[in-house]
Amino acid sequence: MLVDPARLLDDCERAWREAGEPPPLGGADSVTRRTTLVLDALVAYVLLAERSGLARDAVFTRWPACTVHGVTLGSQGNAPGLAQLLSAARARVVTARPELGRRSAARSPSATHADWITAAQEAARSLGWTWTPPTAADLASTSAPESAAQGAMSPPELRLGPGAGSVLLSLSSAPDAGTWQLAADGESFTASPPHWVLPGPVRRVEATDPAGTTHTSAVVDPDTVLLAFAADGHRIPLDEPLPATQVFLLHVGTLETECSQAAVVELPTPYGWSGWTLSEVSLAGVTRLRTSEAAPDRWLEVAVGRSFGWEAGATLPWLTGEDGAPVWHRPPALRLRRNPGESEARHWQVEVRRPNHQEPLACLTGAPGALLDPWKNVPGPLLGAYEILVHRPDRRWGRRRLTVFLAEGVDATPSAEWRLLAPHGGLAPARLNLRTGGPVTASQNVVPFAPYEISKELVLYAGERAFPVQALVPHSEVRLELDGNPLPWSVRPLDIDAADLARDSALTVRLPEQAVAVTPKLALVVEGTTLMSLRPERRTRTRKGDLRYSLAALTDTVRDCAKAELRLLVAGQDVHVGTVRTQSIAEDVVPDGTGLLLRGLRHPGELTALLYRVLAPWEQPLSVPVDGSGRIPLPTAWRSAGPLIISLCTGPHTAEYAPSWPRLRDRDTLVLRRSPWTNSVSDRTPATRTTEYLGGRGTLPRGTDAIPYQWIVAARGRDLQACGAKETAPAECLQALGDAGPDALLRAVDGSLRSGELATVLVGSGLAALRIREVTDPAAVRPAWRRAPLCALLLTAPLLPYLSGKPVYDTDELYPAEVELLDEVDQFLGSAGTAILAGHEDPSRTVGRFDAHVRVLDELPEIQQQAMWRTAGVVPRGLLDTDTRAAAAWQAFRDRRTLQYYAMRDECEDWLEAVENFLDDGHDCLARAFRDRAPGPLRGPGEAWMRVPHFSLGCALIARLAAAGDLRAVKLERGLRPLWTSVAAHAPDLTAVDLALAECLVTSETVRATS
């Protein structure tokens, strides 16, 4: 018990007598927990009365209000049932006081249940209450919401993936629960449990579980640019002091410490986190730390008192949970946090429960800094995932949550502590021997690993309950870096396109530390002859076994070779780690009976084909392994699916890395245009009718439900046209979206398109210039900020003047829903957007301009161009902040050769002059911002591409002036639209930035004129 049972019952008895009889259904969470404790106390006294020979009714007579409220809890639909609650309470009491269970008469659950119901009715009568237990009909009427409460998912948790090779979001699941819908800084994803790998740094992720509940996880704080993870991979919240132990820090810039120098070992950067550094750091003796790129005052404190987390215990390095969490075979103790000077009188409350279950298995309290054994009252065997909730009893906020996977009594021994790369690919075979004891068993006690098996699934059993785990042995692996961006690790020889060598490429090999006593060399071998040898980079602060080889020096050597091999000379062996190709994987693809056949196949290793349906571009691709002869088998439904896009990738494809829409210009992307299509689906959903329309049958479906499909067709229309879809489909979809108006902006969230793709459609459809006079339904607009923030910004435009801080726009005039809507603006625009709306000068007004500096950049080799732009976009920021604008300009710069075609037209110069004349006539501030983007004098028509940012911002300003009601701007925007649409298709991110910037500038001008 948490407190003296008699005092607990007396206090609750007094409170509940004053409150009166309990409501028939429902109850606050805090009341539910308190009533559970009351039931424990009542059961304890009933057992004590029976052991002492007293009448059990004496207990109910002394505490009648507690009896009624306790039975009410068990009789509600959202509780596990009174009989089950009483049985669980009795088990807890007998575990704590075994002597109370020895002499009590055995009673059946139904009899116990009936006795307590009768006792509660008598107690209610003595209090003068009219309470009666709910009937079956009452419970049935509340079954739907109760089921939803039981099915509530645990919030997702950010953690380091296995081997620190990725950052992932663990997603809880229930049988047949379905997928999660994720929104990461406005980009939409669909993920399946147990985890989702973050494709790169984002500020926040909003995850909607299958039950419809949305959880928000903050990821990167741009002011601290640091994520801290405990030794077991769990993320350490930044509002807590860092533990003075070994931690993992993912950061930008160098680490700065106070009081003591931290011992730092740099590890390979996780997948997708280009520009970041992963360090294993010992914080012993350190009082606080920050990174060199953090805001000056953003120091992180290191715990001087006691830090919160696990202590002692032991993990099995050969087993992990499904989401990569460690498996503890000796349960750890929990150290409660204690800040310096904190009073010991304010206890923490700890609850142990199963994930996705509300009923606690055990409850205990502890003083700050105490070391608790949370498992002492948990019924054994300790097997599977557990969730620990720690909070102050007097506070409803400040909760801390830990998850842990226990496998008490399980032991494992591998045949080798490290699996080396085999000479011809894969890993050296190994096996793992498992030993279990007591009621715990395993699906297999000897786990063999084949050369290409990194991990294998196991199931641990405790009676009828099954808990899946992953078995693995630490191993060597290789991975490729392109433009500083690390790709996933692989145990297969890498397939490297020779054209990528000039993109600041590198190869990293992970070996055991004892294998690098003699520095391994990386050899370029052509037809058995070594043409060049590379030595690893000298990196003194990295793990000794992680060797990084720069591949840029191989560019000229492989130019005239059809194929070359990369071999690692290590420990007396010659290991094949990569193949460099100067040609595409395959020349063409043709139908072949029940599948497809790749012709001119040049890749002998493992291949995976991702198949995209041209007539259903909203569907996820089908992943199919390619056999040794180059054949791609197709399911029956795909043999008549119409034109297909086939994207070839080396190695197996894993679902945790979400594929994006393929680039048709990529050398390893093939198109099968002449493919039969028959519609075998009889339903008439908007998706089916849109597929028929793209195939040339019927008309474009209209209506609200069809809008998301119109967005996707319009965004990917150029590719669909090139692959055999209906020629007029993109133009008709753009027209339909323009006609739909605000409804089109609201339904953009269901299209799962990137901001750049949305910007292109906004321009082509005319929605970028749509006039919206008021926000009629703020509650409907707010979800759009999570998945289509650019559309949400245009819908919120009438309220933006209230962010100016001017007296004429007083936020007290707004409804609460409108204020909540405005709270989202800063998250998307960033500090620069807030400054512009407040009437200040644009702090990044020249960023994105193509001027003399960019002219010099154009003359440099591509590898040096990459180095100049590498820092852009490393830290996720608002759309109008400097880094985001620079990254958008870099995207346009890389496609400058295509943009040159549009920028050198005479009409481009004419439109630029027309925009300048329009803005000079009464829009001085806008004209100044427009001139800030001008490239200056050009040396000739070959530099016409330098006008693109100037033209893009001018078009965006005219469109937003048109949306503000300027009739002259409306006419001008219609004339600009065709050329602007073509430019936006090749510079989508720049278009998105300019639309948001133009909206802020036009709003600021409106506020200034009004004030």
Side-chain angles (χ1 to χ4, degrees):
M1 296 300 169
L2 298 177
V3 296
D4 179 73
R7 180 177 176 183
L8 169 71
L9 289 172
D10 288 342
D11 289 346
C12 291
E13 179 70 21
R14 182 169 51 254
W16 279 331
R17 279 177 182 263
E18 294 173 357
E21 60 185 282
L25 294 170
D29 189 34
S30 59
V31 173
T32 300
R33 284 200 301 272
R34 181 173 58 172
T35 312
T36 303
L37 298 176
V38 167
L39 270 180
D40 285 4
L42 288 172
V43 169
Y45 274 104
V46 167
L47 293 177
L48 183 63
E50 292 177 348
R51 184 171 183 270
S52 304
L54 300 176
R56 47 193 284 138
D57 291 346
V59 177
F60 305 131
T61 303
R62 178 175 175 181
W63 294 294
C66 289
T67 303
V68 175
H69 278 265
V71 171
T72 301
L73 169 70
S75 301
Q76 291 174 353
N78 63 345
L82 180 59
Q84 184 177 343
L85 280 178
L86 294 175
S87 177
R90 185 181 187 281
R92 288 193 291 269
V93 172
V94 171
T95 301
R97 296 284 300 275
E99 68 276 8
L100 293 181
R102 292 190 187 123
R103 298 185 182 179
S104 59
R107 293 171 176 263
S108 67
S110 59
T112 304
H113 174 272
D115 291 346
W116 280 73
I117 290 287
T118 302
Q121 290 174 315
E122 291 296 326
R125 233 178 257 115
S126 69
L127 293 170
W129 294 350
T130 58
W131 176 88
T132 55
T135 64
D138 296 329
L139 298 181
S141 65
T142 61
S143 59
E146 289 157 6
S147 300
Q150 286 291 335
M153 302 288 185
S154 299
E157 180 184 15
L158 199 71
R159 58 173 296 111
L160 274 182
S166 60
V167 179
L168 54 86
L169 199 69
S170 62
L171 306 174
S172 58
S173 63
D176 302 322
T179 58
W180 288 63
Q181 300 300 318
L182 308 176
D185 284 355
E187 309 295 343
S188 298
F189 303 89
T190 299
S192 299
H195 60 261
W196 175 66
V197 176
L198 271 70
V202 294
R203 287 175 295 166
R204 66 174 180 177
V205 177
E206 296 203 359
T208 303
D209 61 30
T213 304
T214 299
H215 313 269
T216 301
S217 299
V219 183
V220 174
D221 179 358
D223 291 332
T224 58
V225 288
L226 183 145
L227 282 75
F229 299 91
D232 61 358
H234 288 92
R235 201 250 180 104
I236 303 171
L238 289 180
D239 58 352
E240 281 193 3
L242 300 177
T245 56
Q246 203 86 4
V247 296
F248 294 98
L249 300 179
L250 185 59
H251 56 94
V252 176
T254 58
L255 293 174
E256 301 173 359
T257 61
E258 283 192 354
C259 191
S260 177
Q261 186 69 32
V264 179
V265 176
E266 291 184 9
L267 302 176
T269 308
Y271 165 75
W273 290 70
S274 174
W276 289 65
T277 302
L278 179 64
S279 301
E280 188 175 7
V281 183
S282 175
L283 297 181
V286 177
T287 55
R288 61 178 187 165
L289 64 83
R290 66 185 292 273
T291 76
S292 59
E293 299 298 320
D297 59 340
R298 296 307 296 268
W299 287 87
L300 301 180
E301 302 294 330
V302 179
V304 179
R306 293 293 191 177
S307 58
F308 173 68
W310 301 117
E311 290 189 15
T315 62
L316 286 170
W318 332 114
L319 296 180
T320 68
E322 286 186 297
D323 61 350
V327 172
W328 300 75
H329 70 118
R330 288 207 304 273
L334 179 65
R335 175 71 70 181
L336 298 179
R337 186 182 71 185
R338 181 182 183 185
N339 295 327
E342 185 177 4
S343 170
E344 295 187 5
R346 301 183 62 209
H347 283 206
W348 291 95
Q349 181 167 315
V350 179
E351 295 181 5
V352 183
R353 60 178 64 174
R354 291 284 188 181
N356 305 327
H357 287 72
Q358 301 301 317
E359 180 68 17
L361 301 174
C363 299
L364 62 158
T365 59
L371 187 65
L372 299 182
D373 178 10
W375 320 108
K376 61 182 179 181
N377 295 327
V378 178
L382 297 178
L383 183 64
Y386 293 87
E387 190 174 79
I388 312 295
L389 294 179
V390 182
H391 63 95
R392 299 281 192 192
D394 55 341
R395 291 167 57 185
R396 295 293 297 156
W397 57 88
R399 280 191 172 196
R400 290 294 176 261
R401 172 177 167 268
L402 282 178
T403 57
V404 62
F405 196 104
L406 301 182
E408 191 176 26
V410 178
D411 201 2
T413 306
S415 59
E417 293 190 359
W418 189 282
R419 299 176 66 194
L420 291 169
L421 290 168
H424 301 291
L427 298 170
R431 68 178 183 277
L432 186 67
N433 298 314
L434 262 70
R435 295 185 299 276
T436 58
V440 178
T441 58
S443 56
Q444 55 185 122
N445 292 324
V446 178
V447 185
F449 294 93
Y452 291 106
E453 288 180 329
I454 298 175
S455 62
K456 297 190 74 171
E457 292 187 0
L458 286 177
V459 180
L460 300 178
Y461 297 96
E464 296 183 355
R465 304 193 67 178
F467 302 94
V469 295
Q470 297 280 336
L472 73 162
V473 176
H475 56 274
S476 297
E477 50 196 345
V478 295
R479 76 170 176 185
L480 184 67
E481 293 180 27
L482 295 177
D483 301 331
N485 186 40
L487 303 183
W489 290 99
S490 174
V491 297
R492 297 179 179 273
L494 299 176
D495 181 272
I496 305 171
D497 193 329
D500 291 335
L501 293 179
R503 296 173 52 192
D504 192 14
S505 57
L507 182 74
T508 301
V509 183
R510 174 165 286 176
L511 298 171
E513 294 190 4
Q514 60 270 26
V516 296
V518 177
T519 304
K521 293 183 179 181
L522 186 67
L524 180 70
V525 180
V526 177
E527 296 180 355
T529 303
T530 300
L531 300 185
M532 183 180 292
S533 295
L534 303 176
R535 298 181 66 86
E537 298 176 352
R538 300 188 63 182
R539 306 170 75 191
T540 57
R541 299 179 66 184
T542 61
R543 178 185 173 274
K544 290 183 179 179
D546 294 328
L547 307 177
R548 187 177 186 272
Y549 300 85
S550 177
L551 302 180
L554 305 178
T555 305
D556 295 332
T557 306
V558 301
R559 186 166 293 158
D560 298 326
C561 305
K563 185 174 69 172
E565 291 185 351
L566 292 176
R567 292 190 167 272
L568 186 71
L569 310 179
V570 56
Q573 289 188 331
D574 184 357
V575 180
H576 181 205
V577 294
T579 300
V580 182
R581 288 183 296 105
T582 57
Q583 299 170 312
S584 58
I585 293 177
E587 293 179 356
D588 194 11
V589 61
V590 295
D592 180 44
T594 59
L596 305 176
L597 181 64
L598 297 175
R599 295 195 299 194
L601 184 63
R602 302 186 181 95
H603 186 275
E606 184 180 22
L607 281 177
T608 301
L610 296 178
L611 307 181
Y612 298 81
R613 290 185 61 191
V614 173
L615 303 184
W618 47 84
E619 293 183 355
Q620 289 295 307
L622 175 68
S623 177
V624 183
V626 182
D627 63 23
S629 63
R631 193 170 184 280
I632 306 172
L634 290 181
T636 304
W638 279 75
R639 296 170 193 168
S640 57
L644 299 175
I645 300 175
I646 299 96
S647 179
L648 300 176
C649 54
T650 59
H653 169 71
T654 55
E656 57 193 31
Y657 303 107
S660 57
W661 184 253
R663 288 171 52 90
L664 296 189
R665 288 180 292 174
D666 287 349
R667 192 161 63 177
D668 296 325
T669 298
L670 305 173
V671 179
L672 185 68
R673 293 176 177 83
R674 296 183 178 179
S675 179
W677 173 66
T678 56
N679 184 18
S680 59
V681 182
S682 58
D683 64 77
R684 302 297 297 165
T685 62
T688 303
R689 289 187 289 131
T690 305
T691 295
E692 292 178 350
Y693 164 75
L694 290 175
R697 303 177 188 172
T699 59
L700 177 69
R702 299 294 183 116
T704 307
D705 292 342
I707 289 177
Y709 305 100
Q710 295 169 0
W711 274 101
I712 296 172
V713 173
R716 298 167 181 169
R718 291 173 180 263
D719 289 348
L720 301 181
Q721 283 177 328
C723 296
K726 187 174 182 177
E727 283 286 332
T728 60
E732 292 184 20
C733 286
L734 289 173
Q735 179 65 42
L737 291 172
D739 295 341
D743 287 341
L745 296 175
L746 279 173
R747 292 305 302 270
V749 298
D750 300 321
S752 299
L753 296 172
R754 293 178 53 252
S755 293
E757 293 177 303
L758 291 171
T760 305
V761 180
L762 288 172
V763 170
S765 63
L767 290 172
L770 177 67
R771 187 175 188 188
I772 300 176
R773 299 176 183 273
E774 63 176 338
V775 184
T776 56
D777 189 357
V781 176
R782 194 176 181 193
W785 280 103
R786 302 182 179 96
R787 299 183 181 275
L790 190 58
C791 295
L793 177 68
L794 303 186
L795 288 166
T796 313
L799 296 178
L800 293 183
Y802 287 92
L803 294 175
S804 64
K806 303 297 182 183
V808 69
Y809 292 104
D810 188 354
T811 55
D812 291 340
E813 301 174 358
L814 301 178
Y815 291 107
E818 294 174 325
V819 175
E820 291 177 359
L821 189 60
L822 287 178
D823 290 341
E824 302 283 351
V825 177
D826 181 55
Q827 284 281 344
F828 175 61
L829 294 181
S831 58
T834 306
I836 297 171
L837 289 171
H840 303 300
E841 191 170 350
D842 182 4
S844 306
R845 63 184 183 279
T846 60
V847 176
R849 178 175 64 191
F850 286 175
D851 53 13
H853 295 87
V854 178
R855 179 183 291 121
V856 174
L857 186 64
D858 183 40
E859 298 170 355
L860 296 176
E862 184 176 356
I863 191 170
Q864 295 184 30
Q865 295 173 4
Q866 290 279 358
M868 294 286 289
W869 291 88
R870 178 158 302 156
T871 57
V874 169
V875 179
R877 299 186 184 275
L879 187 66
L880 297 185
D881 288 336
T882 301
D883 282 2
T884 309
R885 294 200 212 182
W890 166 240
Q891 180 205 59
F893 177 80
R894 293 191 65 178
D895 211 3
R896 62 194 180 281
R897 302 294 177 238
T898 305
L899 291 169
Q900 169 74 11
Y901 170 76
Y902 301 102
M904 69 183 298
R905 292 182 180 179
D906 292 338
E907 60 180 306
C908 180
E909 189 171 359
D910 294 340
W911 284 122
L912 280 172
E913 184 178 355
V915 171
E916 185 173 12
N917 293 336
F918 182 92
L919 296 179
D920 283 338
D921 186 14
H923 300 282
D924 296 339
C925 293
L926 303 185
R928 186 165 57 252
F930 178 63
R931 284 192 294 270
D932 284 338
R933 278 285 189 90
L938 303 181
R939 294 177 179 177
E943 291 185 345
W945 57 269
M946 295 177 65
R947 298 172 177 161
V948 167
H950 193 207
F951 177 78
S952 176
L953 179 58
C955 292
L957 289 170
I958 296 300
R960 296 317 297 159
L961 284 171
D966 191 317
L967 297 180
R968 291 173 54 214
V970 171
K971 296 180 180 178
L972 185 56
E973 186 274 334
R974 288 174 182 165
L976 289 167
R977 192 184 303 175
L979 182 58
W980 187 22
T981 301
S982 299
V983 170
H986 298 282
D989 290 350
L990 184 67
T991 304
V993 167
D994 286 342
L995 277 173
L997 177 59
E999 177 56 42
C1000 292
L1001 291 170
V1002 171
T1003 299
S1004 180
E1005 182 186 67
T1006 302
V1007 170
R1008 193 177 295 108
T1010 305
S1011 300

